[in-house]
Amino acid sequence: MILELAGVAAGYGAKTVISEVSLALAPGQILALLGHNGAGKTTTLKTAMGLIPARAGEVRFDGTAITRLPVAERVARGLRLLPEGRGIFPDLSVAENIDVVAASLTGKGAMFDPASVYRLLPVLAERRATRAGSMSGGQQQMLAFALAILGTPRCLMLDEPSIGLAPNLVERLFAQVRDVCRAHGVAAVLVEQNVAAAMALADQVVIMNNGKVVFDGTPEAARAANVWHFF
Ligand SMILES: Nc1ncnc2c1ncn2[C@@H]1O[C@H](COP(=O)(O)OP(=O)(O)O)[C@@H](O)[C@H]1O
Ligand SMILES: [Mg+2]
């Protein structure tokens, strides 16, 4: 398993909002993490990334416990988060965004350096000099995706990457995610409101409700089971 959460609890202040969260993801696999607003999906990703501490349980990466490892260490090992609401620098150009992140992550032998990112996402190559914040939502989301894969990612966590995107762009973004995972063996956790599209892409579906995992299985099993009342 590349990423494993075992009995994880986390929260804010006095409030614990997720508990007993367990999931496991193999290299190259795509896991759709679903559930209504407030179910605890973002909190789960933040805990895996180390942005907030786990109050119970263990986070494992490639078989090693990383529960108390600093965020930068997790990034260096290949765990990446595309945060809810886009993690880009709006005042920098596209090229500056890419170079700032690439500087710390793309050494010799990296899976994705700036040149390969521009090849994969030509829309960014055309807009190298454009101020990132002035681009369309779809283009900004492509840039956020580019920043998430720079270097050598081993597990991408994408928090609602399709929000605000036109349907054709959602399709294109999901196709890029699939390509990165299938061609490079990168695993992905995909948090989505777009339930049907996410299920179509995923190998595994985990549904959360009220801070707990209420379903874990294949997309086929999710469709067959009566899980729709969780949305
Ligand atoms: N920074 C925060 N401070 C306090 N409560 C929070 C914070 N972020 C989220 N919450 C609460 O934690 C619960 C889970 O939220 P979240 O993980 O964002 O759910 P989801 O991503 O599934 O919509 C919600 O009840 C939400 O109000
Ligand atoms: Mg969220």
Side-chain angles (χ1 to χ4, degrees), residues 12 15 17-18 35-44 46 84 159-160 191 193:
Y12 310 91
K15 215 167 110 203
V17 299
I18 62 166
H36 64 67
N37 237 345
K41 306 179 297 295
T42 296
T43 303
T44 300
K46 287 203 284 191
E84 205 170 19
D159 199 348
E160 306 205 12
V191 169
Q193 293 300 331

Side-chain angles (χ1 to χ4, degrees), residues 16-231:
T16 294
V17 299
I18 62 166
S19 59
E20 293 160 54
V21 171
S22 296
L23 54 87
L25 179 59
Q29 300 276 290
I30 300 174
L31 184 155
L33 180 58
L34 309 174
H36 64 67
N37 237 345
K41 306 179 297 295
T42 296
T43 303
T44 300
L45 297 192
K46 287 203 284 191
T47 311
M49 195 70 238
L51 295 169
I52 58 172
R55 294 177 174 184
E58 199 165 81
V59 180
R60 299 186 201 109
F61 193 69
D62 202 15
T64 308
I66 60 163
T67 321
R68 265 160 283 281
L69 213 60
V71 183
E73 264 296 312
R74 301 185 203 211
V75 172
R77 290 183 189 202
L79 184 61
R80 300 294 164 74
L81 174 66
L82 189 163
E84 205 170 19
R86 296 180 196 124
I88 64 168
F89 306 104
D91 297 316
L92 299 184
S93 70
V94 167
E96 286 166 340
N97 266 273
I98 287 177
D99 291 345
V100 162
V101 175
S104 59
L105 291 175
T106 60
K108 260 214 183 87
M111 190 182 284
F112 295 103
D113 60 9
S116 53
V117 159
Y118 288 130
R119 259 196 312 279
L120 187 71
L121 306 163
V123 64
L124 298 179
E126 290 160 21
R127 286 170 180 75
R128 263 175 237 241
T130 306
R131 199 181 77 89
S134 73
M135 298 196 297
S136 72
Q139 290 159 355
Q140 290 188 34
Q141 203 53 275
M142 286 290 173
L143 177 58
F145 180 64
L147 300 185
I149 64 172
L150 277 166
T152 306
R154 301 186 65 204
C155 181
L156 299 170
M157 300 189 289
L158 309 172
D159 199 348
E160 306 205 12
S162 77
I163 226 157
L165 263 60
N168 63 320
L169 281 181
V170 175
E171 232 168 81
R172 205 182 306 166
L173 180 72
F174 280 17
Q176 310 282 15
V177 173
R178 187 194 299 112
D179 286 354
V180 166
C181 293
R182 299 296 181 246
H184 297 277
V186 176
V189 179
L190 180 64
V191 169
E192 265 301 329
Q193 293 300 331
N194 204 331
V195 171
M199 279 202 195
L201 186 69
D203 305 293
Q204 193 185 341
V205 175
V206 170
I207 300 172
M208 292 184 73
N209 189 42
N210 266 326
K212 292 212 160 53
V213 172
V214 292
F215 177 89
D216 186 345
T218 62
E220 294 71 39
R223 283 186 208 101
N226 189 19
V227 297
W228 303 106
H229 62 281
F230 290 119
F231 303 109

